[in-house]
Amino acid sequence: MERLQAAIEKARDDRDRVPPRRGARIGGALDAAWARLNPLHLDGEVLQNNRIFTAEAGPLAASFDILRTRVLRTMQQNGWKRLAITSATPECGKSTIALNLAFAMARQPNMRTLQVELDMRRPSQQRLLGLTGGHQPAPSSVADLLSGDKSFADIALNHRNSLALVTNGQSVQNPSDILLSSDVGRVLSDLERTYQFDMVICDMPPSLISDDMIAFTSNVDCALIVAAAEASTAAEIDKCERDLSEMTNVLGVVLNKYRLGAADSAYPDQYY
């Protein structure tokens, strides 16, 4: 544990020492960089069925818009840019929350967001986005980007020049070995400079299942915990929060999969 903590501290120090690139891309050069990314083609019915409500504004996006505003305000006040979304255990819907928050951020004027699926053990975002049915080529794994085997332009998907998505086409063995590498922080810093991201959202694995989240905490500014109603226990949430708070800032806990009652009948029965 001491060796892991030392590695986290070293990676955090290396990240802080990365000098800003002179003449960051602006105007036409920045637009050209985004134009080289593969366009994301969305099927509204698929998104609706998979509880992705925020690609367009509307009543179903309202709760996520509130979450977006609260997260954005806290992060901007503290000068934070990188957010990890995790849960204590599997099946809490953290990937659904991450995507909804990312699309909600993308509707903010003059804001560019990167959303990266770093759950490399059980990736689900391509299914949630409808990318697995042959409608468009499935991107490579995030591991290809972090290892340098693929460029960002090769695997990222561009949504309206305001949201870049990197998902996983396949599971990866021993992802914590990849996430512990100091190269990960440098890749993220380079992407932030090149594409001028205002927000980076990282969909992480469950924190109590593996050491992947611990391995990556030096590369984020804060974390959001997703809990599933009637499934996540108070003990699990408490342990997850205590463990994360030792390594990064914890924004709070999002209660997911809560069924609204009759008084809220204007909304779907399984509204998040």
Side-chain angles (χ1 to χ4, degrees):
M1 186 66 183
E2 292 180 359
R3 292 179 61 188
L4 178 59
Q5 190 64 39
I8 290 173
E9 293 300 328
K10 183 180 184 302
R12 188 171 281 137
D13 291 341
D14 290 342
R15 172 187 164 190
D16 293 339
R17 284 197 294 267
V18 174
R21 177 179 295 177
R22 279 190 171 184
R25 294 174 181 264
I26 57 175
L30 178 59
D31 292 339
W34 277 81
R36 285 192 289 271
L37 303 180
N38 299 309
L40 174 65
H41 303 291
L42 296 173
D43 184 320
E45 183 176 354
V46 171
L47 295 183
Q48 192 90 347
N49 290 339
N50 290 329
R51 303 293 194 268
I52 308 299
F53 298 130
T54 57
E56 304 292 344
L60 294 179
S63 60
F64 293 105
D65 289 349
I66 293 172
L67 176 63
R68 171 198 64 192
T69 300
R70 290 178 175 174
V71 167
L72 190 57
R73 177 175 295 178
T74 300
M75 293 184 68
Q76 288 177 338
Q77 288 174 344
N78 288 280
W80 298 337
K81 183 179 291 187
R82 299 180 187 174
L83 168 67
I85 297 182
T86 186
S87 58
T89 55
E91 306 298 333
C92 292
K94 61 176 181 54
S95 296
T96 303
I97 297 293
L99 287 173
N100 273 296
L101 187 58
F103 282 115
M105 290 288 183
R107 289 191 282 106
Q108 286 292 99
N110 303 315
M111 184 171 180
R112 289 186 170 91
T113 300
L114 168 64
Q115 197 275 170
V116 186
E117 183 180 30
L118 287 171
D119 188 342
M120 292 182 273
R121 297 178 188 270
R122 294 182 61 187
S124 62
Q125 289 196 0
Q126 289 193 14
R127 175 184 60 79
L128 293 172
L129 293 169
L131 306 183
T132 57
H135 301 295
Q136 53 188 326
S140 303
S141 169
V142 171
D144 295 326
L145 171 66
L146 299 179
S147 65
D149 292 338
K150 295 282 186 177
S151 71
F152 186 73
D154 288 332
I155 69 173
L157 297 173
N158 179 1
H159 177 65
R160 299 177 179 175
N161 288 332
S162 59
L163 171 62
L165 289 159
V166 178
T167 61
N168 275 303
Q170 57 189 9
S171 60
V172 174
Q173 296 294 322
N174 302 319
S176 59
D177 294 343
I178 299 172
L179 296 174
L180 266 176
S181 171
S182 59
D183 293 336
V184 174
R186 283 192 282 271
V187 168
L188 289 176
S189 295
D190 188 60
L191 292 176
E192 286 171 346
R193 290 191 296 266
T194 302
Y195 296 92
Q196 296 294 289
F197 294 120
D198 302 289
M199 172 77 69
V200 178
I201 299 173
C202 302
D203 176 21
M204 302 301 303
S207 294
L208 302 185
I209 301 301
S210 71
D211 63 338
D212 296 359
M213 181 65 206
I214 298 174
F216 191 72
T217 49
S218 62
N219 296 300
V220 299
D221 300 306
C222 53
L224 193 66
I225 300 170
V226 177
E230 301 180 7
S232 300
T233 67
E236 291 169 344
I237 298 169
D238 183 60
K239 178 171 174 50
C240 180
E241 185 173 8
R242 283 189 286 107
D243 290 349
L244 287 177
S245 64
E246 294 178 358
M247 293 169 287
T248 191
N249 302 288
V250 178
L251 291 185
V253 179
V254 175
L255 181 63
N256 194 24
K257 299 186 178 182
Y258 171 66
R259 289 176 179 266
L260 297 176
D264 305 293
S265 57
Y267 297 101
D269 187 42
Q270 295 189 17
Y271 183 64
Y272 284 81

